[in-house]
Amino acid sequence: QGKKMAQKINWERVSDRTVGFSGADIENMLNEAAILAARIGKKHIEESDVEEAATKVKLGPAKKKLQSDEDKKITAYHEAGHAVVTHILPKMDPVHKISIVARGMSLGHTLIPPAGDRTHETKTRMLQQITAMLGGRAAEEIVFNEMTSGASNDIELATRLARAMVVDFGMSALGPVNLGPQYDYDELGKAQWYEPAQVSPAMQEKIDAEISKIIDAAYKEAIGIVKSRRKIIDAVVEKLLEKETLDREEFEKIVGKKDNGSK
């Protein structure tokens, strides 16, 4: 309210971008957009200001870190690996933005906001999420025959999701058994008591084996996608090194439109 907005803002795109934002997040985003526009002397808030503000609210402010050309190239291939693997997997949402601009603790990011609300998560989509998370590490290995510490957060998230599939959701060869901590809730949904997971060493070994099996299969699939789409990944990296940030339209000019028909 009271903010001067440009006429050509694509609010449908902005709404896609802000899935999961609370009312306070949206308020912060528009306040940040107003500050960004005023700082460079604009008379109206433009879509680029809103986009930058949304990213700042989500990931923190951009940081100008001194990076060597090699570091930038590694970051670009890592993010391109995430983006292209995500784009190829049929159950994954479209890539909204790829960037090699450092924010927070990360040297780059690939944004994949949900295309819509989901009541359920399927095993197939969870497996594809893990594969997409490992796309950056796969690109590093294929392109540089090397591994970097930049994939640590991806590995942590992938392992956490694989563990939940095995322990909480019963999505493994161990069957539909909850092997995690036990809770009891009252009628308001508040936990009344908590009991740590109690599994034997033999069962824990089986749990670890199932988690490793999920991660290994996903990583193998990510490697296969990176190998088969190497030229496309190279093209994305070339554009990333030139512009530092690609939006969905720029990305899909290189890789083609996301096939939503199979989702």
Side-chain angles (χ1 to χ4, degrees):
Q1 187 174 2
K3 294 179 175 65
K4 295 182 178 180
M5 311 298 297
Q7 295 296 317
K8 295 183 179 179
I9 294 179
N10 185 335
W11 290 108
E12 184 175 347
R13 182 187 300 166
V14 173
S15 68
D16 289 340
R17 172 71 178 84
T18 54
V19 170
F21 276 40
S22 66
D25 289 335
I26 293 173
E27 182 180 11
N28 289 339
M29 176 188 76
L30 292 174
N31 286 339
E32 286 288 348
I35 292 169
L36 288 168
R39 187 174 293 156
I40 55 178
K42 292 182 180 179
K43 294 183 178 180
H44 296 86
I45 299 171
E46 297 177 353
E47 188 170 340
S48 59
D49 302 316
V50 177
E51 173 61 35
E52 172 60 26
T55 305
K56 184 176 180 180
V57 169
K58 188 81 172 177
L59 301 174
K63 295 182 178 180
K64 292 296 182 182
K65 291 187 177 181
L66 292 176
Q67 296 186 65
S68 67
D69 290 342
E70 182 182 8
D71 283 335
K72 285 184 178 180
K73 190 174 181 181
I74 290 172
T75 301
Y77 270 104
H78 184 99
E79 298 305 332
H82 280 308
V84 172
V85 170
T86 298
H87 183 77
I88 295 303
L89 294 170
K91 296 293 183 182
M92 293 297 291
D93 294 311
V95 173
H96 177 80
K97 186 167 78 169
I98 322 165
S99 178
I100 56 173
V101 176
R103 290 179 185 272
M105 298 299 293
S106 70
L107 296 176
H109 58 271
T110 301
L111 292 178
I112 312 159
D117 293 333
R118 289 188 178 88
T119 304
H120 297 96
E121 281 288 6
T122 64
K123 179 180 179 180
T124 299
R125 194 178 125 76
M126 288 183 185
L127 291 173
Q128 291 189 9
Q129 283 179 283
I130 294 172
T131 301
M133 290 173 189
L134 299 175
R137 166 57 67 86
E140 291 175 5
E141 182 173 336
I142 295 303
V143 176
F144 302 102
N145 193 29
E146 187 58 277
M147 298 180 186
T148 77
S149 58
S152 61
N153 185 245
D154 302 326
I155 294 169
E156 178 186 351
L157 294 175
T159 305
R160 191 183 302 167
L161 181 53
R163 181 176 296 278
M165 291 177 67
V166 175
V167 172
D168 299 325
F169 307 143
M171 295 178 176
S172 75
L174 298 180
V177 179
N178 186 319
L179 300 165
Q182 300 301 304
Y183 301 87
D184 191 25
Y185 301 93
D186 60 21
E187 62 275 7
L188 298 177
K190 185 177 180 180
Q192 292 182 307
W193 60 267
Y194 161 84
E195 182 179 328
Q198 297 181 355
V199 296
S200 67
M203 179 57 76
Q204 186 61 56
E205 187 175 340
K206 291 180 181 180
I207 291 171
D208 293 341
E210 289 298 319
I211 294 170
S212 292
K213 189 187 299 183
I214 290 172
I215 296 293
D216 291 346
Y219 189 57
K220 184 177 181 181
E221 183 177 8
I223 287 284
I225 293 173
V226 169
K227 283 182 176 178
S228 65
R229 269 74 176 188
R230 174 63 191 274
K231 289 184 178 179
I232 293 176
I233 291 174
D234 288 342
V236 172
V237 167
E238 183 179 355
K239 202 68 176 175
L240 262 180
L241 292 173
E242 175 192 337
K243 298 193 65 178
E244 292 193 328
T245 299
L246 303 179
D247 61 21
R248 178 177 176 178
E249 288 75 13
E250 292 168 321
F251 174 64
E252 291 189 346
K253 279 182 181 178
I254 301 171
V255 302
K257 291 288 186 182
K258 175 76 174 176
D259 182 10
N260 292 323
S262 56
K263 288 183 63 179

